[in-house]
Amino acid sequence: MDPRRAYPRIAIAAFAGNLAFIGAWVVLITRTNGWLVIGPILLAVFALLRVGGMWLYAARQTENLERARRAAIFTTFLTLAGIGLWVFAALRGPRISL
């Protein structure tokens, strides 16, 4: 059995974080009014839920502690890379007007 199933709240938080990340990209692409405020807020929610949830999961592990910590570190780096890509696209990306 997958050990993450023992903590469904963490899985739900991770899913909500993924939705916030997708929402941040939608806001960036459409550039609606207030995108400079809404986008970073969604990115902060994404980082808090994904990274915070993964580190909370790693802290609660008793058997596979090293594996859970490596997964949390990897998730942290992926989250930072995703946020960096969003910031790069916001600063240098194409402007799409609908």
Side-chain angles (χ1 to χ4, degrees):
M1 182 171 131
D2 187 6
R4 288 176 290 186
R5 291 182 186 226
Y7 302 105
R9 291 183 190 154
I10 294 174
I12 292 169
F15 180 69
N18 289 343
L19 290 179
F21 186 64
I22 292 169
W25 276 100
V26 169
V27 167
L28 176 67
I29 291 171
T30 59
R31 307 257 179 171
T32 58
N33 290 335
W35 73 272
L36 285 171
V37 175
I38 296 170
I41 289 173
L42 288 172
L43 286 177
V45 169
F46 164 65
L48 178 72
L49 291 176
R50 285 299 296 179
V51 174
M54 196 62 183
W55 280 104
L56 181 65
Y57 170 73
R60 290 184 177 182
Q61 283 299 308
T62 56
E63 294 177 9
N64 298 325
L65 183 61
E66 284 301 314
R67 184 175 141 199
R69 284 187 182 170
R70 282 193 308 267
I73 291 169
F74 183 69
T75 300
T76 303
F77 284 130
L78 280 179
T79 300
L80 292 175
I83 290 172
L85 184 63
W86 190 93
V87 169
F88 177 77
L91 296 176
R92 304 276 180 170
R95 307 278 191 252
I96 299 173
S97 60
L98 298 175

